[in-house]
Amino acid sequence: VGDYFFGEFVRNRIFVRDANTGAVSTFADGTAGRGVVDVDVLPDGRLLYLSLISGSITQITPVPVSGRTSAVAAGSGGTV
């Protein structure tokens, strides 16, 4: 249906798998709060992740940076 987002606990990263090409790339590196154990895309398109270490739920918001998009996480864990 669409791209697939998944977290990697040890390296504190969120990856995305492109639905069309199957390519996997890093979406968010060094996530705030550490210990990503769940990633969810809400019906309105917001991306959230759960941190096992901090016990927080954090929203990731894309922010344009010099002609490209970076992922910024805002929540009790801080900012990526």
Side-chain angles (χ1 to χ4, degrees):
V1 175
D3 293 344
Y4 177 74
F5 293 88
F6 59 98
E8 201 271 319
F9 179 80
V10 175
R11 295 189 301 177
N12 303 309
R13 291 185 181 155
I14 296 174
F15 295 93
V16 61
R17 180 186 180 275
D18 187 286
N20 296 318
T21 66
V24 174
S25 58
T26 300
F27 180 77
D29 192 10
T31 53
R34 311 282 187 230
V36 176
V37 292
D38 189 28
V39 178
D40 195 13
V41 179
L42 301 180
D44 63 5
R46 290 181 294 154
L47 181 70
L48 306 175
Y49 73 86
L50 173 64
S51 167
L52 178 66
I53 305 301
S54 68
S56 64
I57 297 172
T58 304
Q59 177 177 322
I60 296 179
T61 306
V63 176
V65 177
S66 303
R68 62 185 181 90
T69 301
S70 293
V72 175
S76 64
T79 301
V80 175

